[in-house]
Amino acid sequence: MREIKNIDKLSILKEIPLFSGLKEEELKNIEKFFIYKEYKKGEYIFYEGDKEPGIYFVVDGIIKLIKETSDGKTVILRLATKGESFGWLVMKDSTPASTYSAQTLIDSKVLYISNQDFLKLLLMYPALAVRITCDSTKKTLEAYDRLKSLAVEKVEGRIATLILELVEKIGKKEGDKVVINAPITRQDIAEMAGTTVETAIRVISRWKKEGVLDTERGKIEIFDIDYLQDLVS
């Protein structure tokens, strides 16, 4: 991890949806609370069980939010991408009983703010408190949808749902295909879809043979997005 001080944090804050409603003068007042950090691929930003990780905003890159189960398995709760936040707020000794670790999937850049300073901001700008509450509610509902998917959908549907989520977040249209430019491994897919690596390999290999997608060269190329959408409809 590298902390970089000579960075234009004001311009970065303008690009983060949570702060889009603030005036430039207000952004100038709050940029001092933030620290800009860079992490290499595979670095941990914080670990499950940390008492007060603070709040992070993704400037660039992809962050895996990871939960270890009681039987030693790893589950990826979600991927945080550009503009999204992760971490949690702690007031006094109210550390959540269930937390997670954050690890970079690729080289990533973030803005960090401590719990104490973020609570100050919410008191200074009540509109931020409303926005962060709405954002947290949205993430909670998405988590419920993921749990429902893990419980009732067949594995092909779960993997299709995951890939479509990645398309929505970081996919780019290139001619007749959609490309997800990220080195997402079949291990990652298995952990996010709640299945075994062997099953993920079998499903992805079959889709490659059928011309649905390709996963070579550190990216996912999707040639038949309708096929994936039919699996989850």
Side-chain angles (χ1 to χ4, degrees), residues 7 14 23 53 63 69 81 83 88 96-97 107 116-117 126 139 146 152-153 179 181 194 213 223:
I7 195 77
K14 289 178 180 178
K23 299 176 181 177
I63 314 297
T69 64
T81 55
W88 57 83
D107 290 355
Q116 183 179 1
D117 286 339
K139 288 184 175 63
R146 184 175 293 278
V152 303
E153 280 190 5
V179 179
N181 277 301
L213 52 73
F223 306 105

Side-chain angles (χ1 to χ4, degrees), residues 2 20 23 31 37 41 47 56 63-64 70 91 107 109 143 161 164 178 180 191 198 201 214 216 221:
R2 290 194 306 153
S20 62
K23 299 176 181 177
E31 67 170 320
K37 299 181 179 183
K41 175 184 177 180
Y47 291 92
Y56 294 80
I63 314 297
K64 297 191 294 185
S70 58
M91 296 184 69
D107 290 355
K109 304 168 185 177
T161 296
L164 291 172
V178 178
I180 300 169
E191 291 174 353
E198 293 76 15
I201 290 173
D214 194 9
E216 300 300 328
E221 297 175 316

Side-chain angles (χ1 to χ4, degrees), residues 15-233:
E15 297 296 319
I16 296 175
L18 181 67
F19 304 106
S20 62
L22 296 181
K23 299 176 181 177
E24 179 144 347
E25 194 61 37
E26 293 172 322
L27 291 173
K28 289 179 180 178
N29 289 335
I30 70 173
E31 67 170 320
K32 62 186 177 185
F33 292 112
F34 290 87
I35 298 172
Y36 179 86
K37 299 181 179 183
E38 294 184 350
Y39 293 84
K40 293 293 185 181
K41 175 184 177 180
E43 277 193 87
Y44 278 86
I45 297 174
F46 58 78
Y47 291 92
E48 184 174 349
D50 285 358
K51 289 185 177 180
E52 189 176 323
I55 303 295
Y56 294 80
F57 295 89
V58 183
V59 176
D60 192 25
I62 305 174
I63 314 297
K64 297 191 294 185
L65 306 184
I66 304 166
K67 179 73 178 177
E68 300 292 338
T69 64
S70 58
D71 57 357
K73 293 181 181 178
T74 298
V75 177
I76 298 177
L77 303 176
R78 72 179 176 93
L79 297 178
T81 55
K82 184 175 180 178
E84 294 187 317
S85 62
F86 60 97
W88 57 83
L89 282 173
V90 175
M91 296 184 69
K92 295 184 179 179
D93 296 323
S94 61
T95 303
S98 180
T99 60
Y100 54 82
S101 301
Q103 182 188 25
T104 58
L105 182 66
I106 59 177
D107 290 355
S108 300
K109 304 168 185 177
V110 300
L111 278 184
Y112 162 79
I113 183 170
S114 70
N115 270 224
Q116 183 179 1
D117 286 339
F118 195 66
L119 289 171
K120 286 179 184 177
L121 287 191
L122 298 185
L123 292 174
M124 290 167 59
Y125 303 103
L128 287 182
V130 174
R131 288 191 178 194
I132 200 70
T133 300
C134 292
D135 185 59
S136 297
T137 300
K138 179 175 178 288
K139 288 184 175 63
T140 300
L141 293 174
E142 288 174 351
Y144 286 149
D145 285 342
R146 184 175 293 278
L147 289 173
K148 179 182 176 182
S149 170
L150 293 176
V152 303
E153 280 190 5
K154 293 181 179 180
V155 65
E156 291 87 351
R158 299 203 301 268
I159 295 175
T161 296
L162 165 64
I163 292 174
L164 291 172
E165 287 177 358
L166 292 171
V167 166
E168 183 178 352
K169 282 191 170 188
I170 57 175
K172 294 184 178 180
K173 184 78 171 175
E174 294 185 7
D176 294 331
K177 63 186 176 183
V178 178
V179 179
I180 300 169
N181 277 301
I184 296 170
T185 67
R186 294 175 191 188
Q187 175 81 41
D188 294 327
I189 290 173
E191 291 174 353
M192 285 187 281
T195 189
T196 63
V197 177
E198 293 76 15
T199 299
I201 290 173
R202 186 172 66 251
V203 171
I204 296 297
S205 296
R206 177 164 56 81
W207 287 350
K208 287 177 69 174
K209 289 179 181 178
E210 294 173 352
V212 177
L213 52 73
D214 194 9
T215 58
E216 300 300 328
R217 300 177 297 280
K219 60 184 177 182
I220 301 175
E221 297 175 316
I222 303 153
F223 306 105
D224 191 351
I225 200 163
D226 291 339
Y227 178 91
L228 299 179
Q229 290 172 335
D230 287 342
L231 287 174
V232 301
S233 60

